[in-house]
């Protein structure tokens, strides 16, 4: 179960940015300590479904605000201002917020985020 939990950690923000419903379903799948091959199969089915979903700006914004939490105590005022400006300017076809979050993750060496699939 440890390996699949590690994989879930890498996909968590990607899923959250695409679908709150799928994120909650996967969180529920991982609750408790019982794991099985069937749950592994369900996990990958959910991931495949999420990868095909269109952009959901509300879900994306929510995920990015969660990721911002890693920086809110260490980022400069200028970085905060820039993040919320690019977040507000985000559209279905233009996403500078994700790129900026990756820049911050690299600057502050937030390994958990750098290993995430959010920035793939």
């Amino acid at each position: 179960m440890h390996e699949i939990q590690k994989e879930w950690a890498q996909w968590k923000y990607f899923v959250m940015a695409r679908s709150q419903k799928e994120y909650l379903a996967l969180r529920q799948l991982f609750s408790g300590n019982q794991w099985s091959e069937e749950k592994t199969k369900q996990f990958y089915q959910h991931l495949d479904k999420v990868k095909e979903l269109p952009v959901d700006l509300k879900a994306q914004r929510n995920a990015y605000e969660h990721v911002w939490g890693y920086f809110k105590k260490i980022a400069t005022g200028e970085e905060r201002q820039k993040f919320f400006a690019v977040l507000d300017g985000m559209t279905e076809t233009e996403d500078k917020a994700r790129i900026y979050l990756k820049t911050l993750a690299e600057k502050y060496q937030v390994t958990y985020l750098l290993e995430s699939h959010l920035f793939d």
Side-chain angles (χ1 to χ4, degrees):
M1 183 172 176
H2 178 71
E3 286 303 312
I4 201 83
Q5 286 175 322
K6 185 177 178 181
E7 190 165 359
W8 166 233
Q10 293 171 329
W11 283 104
K12 181 171 80 170
Y13 289 118
F14 177 89
V15 172
M16 186 186 286
R18 293 291 179 95
S19 169
Q20 184 69 15
K21 180 182 172 186
E22 288 297 318
Y23 173 78
L24 293 173
L26 281 165
R27 236 180 75 189
Q28 180 64 33
L29 186 67
F30 279 90
S31 67
N33 292 322
Q34 301 297 323
W35 196 256
S36 66
E37 286 300 315
E38 179 58 31
K39 284 189 173 189
T40 298
K41 181 179 174 185
Q42 289 176 26
F43 171 68
Y44 288 114
Q45 287 172 339
H46 280 284
L47 280 183
D48 289 343
K49 180 179 179 181
V50 168
K51 290 174 187 176
E52 299 300 319
L53 292 174
V55 171
D56 176 336
L57 283 176
K58 184 177 176 184
Q60 204 168 36
R61 183 180 181 100
N62 178 55
Y64 292 173
E65 288 174 345
H66 273 82
V67 172
W68 171 254
Y70 286 87
F71 308 111
K72 68 181 182 182
K73 292 184 180 178
I74 56 175
T76 67
E78 184 179 309
E79 289 168 334
R80 181 187 189 286
Q81 186 176 15
K82 182 174 180 180
F83 169 70
F84 283 100
V86 295
L87 189 67
D88 288 341
M90 196 169 56
T91 68
E92 283 91 353
T93 58
E94 189 172 336
D95 183 2
K96 293 180 182 176
R98 184 178 63 85
I99 295 164
Y100 190 61
L101 286 170
K102 183 177 182 182
T103 300
L104 292 174
E106 290 168 344
K107 176 182 178 180
Y108 293 110
Q109 286 300 293
V110 182
T111 305
Y112 182 75
L113 294 177
L114 293 172
E115 293 175 352
S116 163
H117 291 294
L118 180 65
F119 302 130
D120 292 350

